[in-house]
Amino acid sequence: TQSTWGLWCVACKMGNCCSSKAAAAVNEGGGAPPQPQHGTVSLDQVELNLAEAKNRRPIQSSSADISRIESQLRENERGVVLFDASPWSNGHQLLDFIWTGEITETGDLYFHFEVSSALFSDSKEKPTISKLSKSDWEMPSTWLQHDKGFHISTSGARGILAGNLQSPCDLMEPLRFNVAPSPPTFGCLLFGPAGVGPQEIQLFPKYENINIFLVSWHGQLAIKDADGKLTKREFDIRARASLRSIKFPQSVKSESRARALLSKFVKQPQLFDIKLASAEQDEEEEEEAGLSSTTQSGYVATWTQNRSRV
């Protein structure tokens, strides 16, 4: 069931550190940790960043991984999700790959992801049916009957631990997150609600100081078949993505405080601009993302487009 296939996050070399020292470094006025904040249409931002990256040399430490991922993306394709043994061997186009961050009151940096695919019927590839097909999963009619696409998200969960005071996040090195099944971190829709098993998410920066990352995501799901039996299925996501923003706790009341805090959790704070997001912007973004509006205005960090500062 979905409850037994929930997720918890393990970030390498960090664990679940929420010490009083870390909390004190963040919390200026107390209060509960903010809820995850999502935006929309981050894949479009990749196009702007790709244009900016012309004449930039790829980062050598991840060049082999980048070549491998890009070889699995068709020309001009920004993202694709592939399912094992499905009728569409080339997978389905992604509509959104939304990647945001938040610094919590307890002294941690968490990442949030929201990924959505196009409708299965929108695939340009014709589905194939093997003569050896034995399950509904391998039949195009099963997919087209539930023609709502694929969606996986950390919405409503704490997110994936990406950094803390002892181990700040290095955005210019490959990032790898192994996410285990408990407690819940992801929710998933595929033919209706699906159980979520172990996930491995890798993010490779392509260019130095440029907000373009290649994504390799391998995950397991528990899908209920026509007989009501849960079956393990696997999927892979290959995408080009950009970090949309990092949100600060509501207790942060000044730009200088936000800047100082960012430098404790990210090794490249100079890559970001700090701004105050209005409550109207928050409500608009949450409404577009299908979330209830419960947040107030606060400071956010966004990757600067002015490279002369870097």
Side-chain angles (χ1 to χ4, degrees):
T1 63
Q2 191 166 3
S3 62
T4 58
W5 278 71
L7 288 177
W8 71 294
C9 170
V10 178
C12 297
K13 302 180 181 179
M14 286 186 285
N16 294 318
C17 175
C18 293
S19 65
S20 58
K21 178 180 178 181
V26 179
N27 194 346
E28 294 184 338
Q35 293 298 309
Q37 173 82 12
H38 295 285
T40 57
V41 199
S42 63
L43 279 175
D44 288 344
Q45 183 64 39
V46 174
E47 296 300 320
L48 299 176
N49 295 331
L50 283 172
E52 185 181 357
K54 288 182 178 179
N55 302 320
R56 292 268 185 162
R57 290 186 177 181
I59 295 177
Q60 295 301 313
S61 63
S62 57
S63 58
D65 297 288
I66 286 174
S67 297
R68 173 177 55 83
I69 297 170
E70 289 193 317
S71 69
Q72 296 173 306
L73 288 170
R74 294 189 291 268
E75 186 177 1
N76 298 324
E77 186 174 56
R78 291 174 293 174
V80 63
V81 56
L82 306 103
F83 299 94
D84 69 312
S86 85
W88 289 271
S89 59
N90 291 327
H92 305 276
Q93 294 278 334
L94 296 185
L95 295 180
D96 282 323
F97 191 106
I98 301 168
W99 171 24
T100 60
E102 67 166 335
I103 296 173
T104 67
E105 301 280 1
T106 54
D108 294 304
L109 168 64
Y110 285 92
F111 284 157
H112 296 281
F113 297 96
E114 185 171 358
V115 184
S116 299
S117 80
L119 299 179
F120 303 133
S121 59
D122 288 344
S123 176
K124 296 179 181 179
E125 176 193 8
K126 291 185 178 181
T128 58
I129 304 176
S130 171
K131 294 180 180 180
L132 301 177
S133 298
K134 297 180 179 180
S135 67
D136 293 337
W137 172 268
E138 299 173 76
M139 303 301 293
S141 58
T142 302
W143 296 73
L144 298 177
Q145 180 183 351
H146 304 277
D147 195 19
K148 296 182 179 180
F150 168 75
H151 182 87
I152 189 167
S153 171
T154 56
S155 177
R158 186 170 60 174
I160 296 175
L161 182 62
N164 55 29
L165 293 176
Q166 291 72 36
S167 184
C169 183
D170 189 345
L171 291 167
M172 288 296 102
E173 289 293 332
L175 302 173
R176 179 175 179 175
F177 304 102
N178 290 311
V179 189
S182 178
T185 295
F186 285 103
C188 180
L189 292 174
L190 179 67
F191 311 162
V196 183
Q199 310 288 305
E200 181 183 72
I201 303 171
Q202 298 181 81
L203 302 163
F204 300 96
K206 185 170 181 181
Y207 301 97
E208 186 175 0
N209 298 335
I210 298 290
N211 191 6
I212 303 174
F213 293 77
L214 274 291
V215 182
S216 176
W217 181 333
H218 179 78
Q220 297 180 15
L221 302 174
I223 305 296
K224 187 176 293 186
D225 60 23
D227 298 327
K229 179 182 177 181
L230 285 175
T231 303
K232 185 182 79 171
R233 298 295 181 183
E234 299 185 9
F235 71 90
D236 288 280
I237 292 172
R238 302 289 182 263
R240 300 177 179 92
S242 296
L243 176 58
R244 186 179 185 275
S245 64
I246 297 175
K247 187 179 180 182
F248 294 94
Q250 292 296 322
S251 60
V252 175
K253 302 299 184 183
S254 68
E255 181 178 338
S256 60
R257 173 60 180 163
R259 174 69 63 185
L261 197 58
L262 183 65
S263 66
K264 296 178 183 294
F265 293 93
V266 175
K267 287 190 175 181
Q268 296 84 14
Q270 75 278 7
L271 298 179
F272 292 85
D273 288 326
I274 307 292
K275 66 178 182 180
L276 183 63
S278 67
E280 290 77 11
Q281 286 175 322
D282 284 347
E283 292 173 2
E284 212 172 275
E285 290 175 354
E286 290 184 339
E287 184 177 346
E288 290 175 354
L291 304 174
S292 60
S293 180
T294 57
T295 61
Q296 302 175 1
S297 60
Y299 283 94
V300 296
T302 57
W303 204 295
T304 180
Q305 297 299 310
N306 182 5
R307 295 301 158 198
S308 63
R309 289 177 46 188
V310 178

